[in-house]
Amino acid sequence: FKEMWTGTANLITDGTIPYLDWDYENKVMTNAVCTAYTVVTPAMGTLQSGWYVVMGAVTNATAGIMVSGNSHLILAECSELYVTGTPYRAGIDVSANGSVTNSIAVYGQHLDATGRLTAFGGPVIDGNPGSCAIGSDYGPCGYVTINGGIVTATGTGSFAGIGNGTWTQGGGGVTINGGTVTANGGNSSSSGIGASTYSGNVRVTIN
């Protein structure tokens, strides 16, 4: 945990949060413990490199969350993070910015975890084609990994639920190791997981 949140949110180091992580070598879920984390609040508009925990019901109040760095998000039992993007930004914006590729990994606490992440793209207004629920807007996607929890991602307009934004080059990746994932694109030509309309491909891996 070398690169923790350095803003006004409080970093908690006196408690532990159990979660399940994916063992890529043995292809199984393993028990793990997070010892330093920040609790997600409605006013939190950026997830930096580090660990975050959703506790209870949290409705994002910043018109979307931007991922800046390598973020890890644990959905505690009976919690829900509800987030909606803007016409120009994904609900959870995980973009590749130049030479910097941002990433987010989502975790549950049990195989039948009840923690929820519910994300929507922004509204389609004034001719704007919408946005992804989780992914990029008009640039390449970063990396999204779902290890657990109940994740629902609904893109709007011509955008995918999880993946690249429209009119972008291919890139990035989406990996699903566990959890329950429901993803829908905004129209018939955009993917639930993968490419938006007129965008390049996204590597999708389901273990």
Side-chain angles (χ1 to χ4, degrees), residues 3 24 46-52 65-73 92-97 100-107 134-135 140-146 172-175:
E3 297 179 301
Y24 283 91
T46 302
L47 300 182
Q48 298 180 350
S49 290
W51 288 78
Y52 299 83
I65 294 174
M66 180 172 291
V67 173
S68 178
N70 300 311
S71 301
H72 303 266
L73 182 68
I92 297 181
D93 188 327
V94 191
S95 298
N97 300 318
V100 177
T101 300
N102 301 303
S103 68
I104 187 169
V106 180
Y107 307 85
I134 304 172
C141 181
Y143 292 94
V144 178
T145 303
I146 299 173
V174 179
T175 301

Side-chain angles (χ1 to χ4, degrees), residues 10-33:
N10 294 321
L11 175 65
I12 297 175
T13 59
D14 58 355
T16 60
I17 295 290
Y19 66 97
L20 293 182
D21 201 0
W22 181 249
D23 182 336
Y24 283 91
E25 181 178 355
N26 297 306
K27 304 294 184 182
V28 295
M29 284 292 175
T30 60
N31 293 309
V33 174

Side-chain angles (χ1 to χ4, degrees), residues 98-194:
S99 61
V100 177
T101 300
N102 301 303
S103 68
I104 187 169
V106 180
Y107 307 85
Q109 293 191 299
H110 303 285
L111 290 177
D112 55 350
T114 61
R116 293 178 178 270
L117 168 59
T118 303
F120 292 89
V124 179
I125 57 175
D126 297 330
N128 186 277
S131 60
C132 291
I134 304 172
S136 62
D137 42 26
Y138 293 96
C141 181
Y143 292 94
V144 178
T145 303
I146 299 173
N147 294 308
I150 302 170
V151 178
T152 303
T154 305
T156 54
S158 59
F159 284 74
I162 305 174
N164 269 343
T166 193
W167 300 105
T168 66
Q169 298 178 350
V174 179
T175 301
I176 300 175
N177 296 318
T180 301
V181 181
T182 303
N184 292 289
N187 62 23
S188 59
S189 62
S190 55
S191 304
I193 302 174

Side-chain angles (χ1 to χ4, degrees), residues 78-92:
C78 301
S79 69
E80 180 173 19
L81 174 59
Y82 186 96
V83 57
T84 301
T86 72
Y88 301 97
R89 191 172 78 175
I92 297 181

